[in-house]
Amino acid sequence: MNVPPSVKSRADAYWRLMRFDKPIGIFLLLWPALWALWIAGQGRPDPGVAAVIVLGVILMRAAGCVINDYADRDFDPHVERTRLRPIAAGAVTPKEALVLFVVLCLTAFGLVLTMNGLTIALSVPGAFLAASYPFTKRYTHLPQAYLGLAFGWAIPMAFAAQTGSISAVAWALYAATVLWALIYDTMYAMVDRDDDLKIGVKSTAILFGEHDREIIGALQIAMLTILFGIGRYLGLGWPYALGLAAAAGFSVYQQILIFRREKPKCFHAFLNNHWFGAAVFAGLFADYAWSD
């Protein structure tokens, strides 16, 4: 069966609008969710809960990308990196984007309805955070911190779905994830800093200015300290410590990449955070498997 070129073109535009052609965002949301699932489930998370959380993360990341491009539709045409995005290029209308955003959110909510009451209740502020984040860059230089609040919301939801409650460990892991988003999204914002200054968009890269590398370094140390503390509190052993050491190595590598603030290398540092998240999860996975 031959698919008409026009249909292929439309499908491709929607695919790119949801950013499925660039899965890095999925990984950056998924790793903390998996950290939470493995800790809450003590290495054996419920398969049904895991499936809902993972699919929910994928759907809400797509929804977040759609509403982000809708919010930035007047800015993106003026930024080199974003001028060819579907809405900015006219391949998808703003109204179509809003419809797609609603469909994605409703589908994710349908999945959450299979969980317990606490998880369902938590989905409401989660949806609000995802929908409101794109507009924060107009009003504050800390949209990256707000992104962390949105990206990390899968953590309390995973604990609620798995255990029926949200422990202190869950909130500590959430705090670490907020810091992580602040780290990698500042690296991302360093790529767009010149364009953002021209069009009036705010970011931590602009706020931190010439101290960006030092502040990122301090945030990396703070995040690793929290993750180390979680491991000590839970009694995790050498596999987790090894994973955390690998993550620390990736942090050092990222500092090397951003040292001269060259845009391609800053973007590569942002992408490298996928391996940071994977290293922490590998440590958790191995530790619980080893203890069995």
Side-chain angles (χ1 to χ4, degrees):
M1 179 179 178
N2 293 324
V3 179
S6 60
V7 174
K8 286 185 178 180
S9 178
R10 295 289 290 169
D12 177 69
Y14 281 114
W15 186 261
R16 289 185 293 109
L17 179 61
M18 292 183 286
R19 228 72 101 239
F20 284 136
D21 59 322
K22 297 177 180 178
I24 179 63
I26 294 175
F27 291 126
L28 294 176
L29 269 83
L30 196 55
W31 289 127
L34 291 175
W35 303 344
L37 284 168
W38 250 252
I39 292 174
Q42 297 183 326
R44 295 180 180 272
D46 180 271
V49 169
V52 168
I53 295 298
V54 169
L55 289 173
V57 162
I58 293 171
L59 287 168
M60 289 310 297
R61 185 262 179 168
C65 291
V66 172
I67 198 65
N68 180 79
D69 286 9
Y70 173 82
D72 288 351
R73 63 191 184 279
D74 295 327
F75 295 126
D76 283 347
H78 305 288
V79 178
E80 180 64 27
R81 186 179 53 79
T82 61
R83 62 185 179 84
L84 295 180
R85 284 179 176 175
I87 298 178
V92 176
T93 68
K95 183 178 179 180
E96 290 171 333
L98 283 179
V99 171
L100 179 59
F101 172 74
V102 171
V103 169
L104 289 167
C105 288
L106 288 177
T107 304
F109 185 63
L111 289 172
V112 172
L113 288 177
T114 65
M115 299 288 99
N116 57 42
L118 178 58
T119 310
I120 295 170
L122 287 170
S123 70
V124 176
F128 173 79
L129 287 168
S132 56
Y133 154 70
F135 300 94
T136 59
K137 65 191 74 174
R138 292 163 172 75
Y139 307 107
T140 175
H141 280 94
L142 294 170
Q144 283 69 30
Y146 198 90
L147 177 72
L149 297 175
F151 269 27
W153 200 249
I155 290 174
M157 289 190 66
F159 271 84
Q162 180 68 41
T163 68
S165 63
I166 308 173
S167 66
V169 169
W171 291 119
L173 196 61
Y174 181 59
T177 301
V178 173
L179 291 177
W180 189 34
L182 190 52
I183 291 161
Y184 64 66
D185 207 44
T186 299
M187 295 174 179
Y188 191 76
M190 289 169 73
V191 179
D192 294 337
R193 180 156 39 196
D194 294 340
D195 287 325
D196 287 347
L197 284 168
K198 291 177 183 176
I199 61 180
V201 170
K202 298 177 173 61
S203 75
T204 46
I206 294 172
L207 177 65
F208 297 162
E210 62 182 13
H211 302 294
D212 48 8
R213 297 172 309 186
E214 293 84 354
I215 294 174
I216 289 173
L219 293 170
Q220 288 172 321
I221 292 171
M223 183 198 182
L224 287 164
T225 300
I226 294 173
L227 291 175
F228 177 78
I230 289 172
R232 289 294 299 271
Y233 180 80
L234 294 174
L236 301 179
W238 67 265
Y240 178 71
L242 190 61
L244 213 56
F250 286 122
S251 294
V252 172
Y253 176 58
Q254 291 160 20
Q255 280 289 330
I256 294 171
L257 287 172
I258 66 173
F259 185 74
R260 298 187 183 279
R261 301 185 179 90
E262 299 170 60
K263 291 183 179 182
K265 290 186 177 181
C266 289
F267 186 68
H268 183 59
F270 160 73
L271 295 175
N272 185 260
N273 278 275
H274 161 56
W275 298 108
F276 179 104
V280 175
F281 177 69
L284 278 170
F285 183 90
D287 206 295
Y288 282 110
W290 180 268
S291 64
D292 288 343

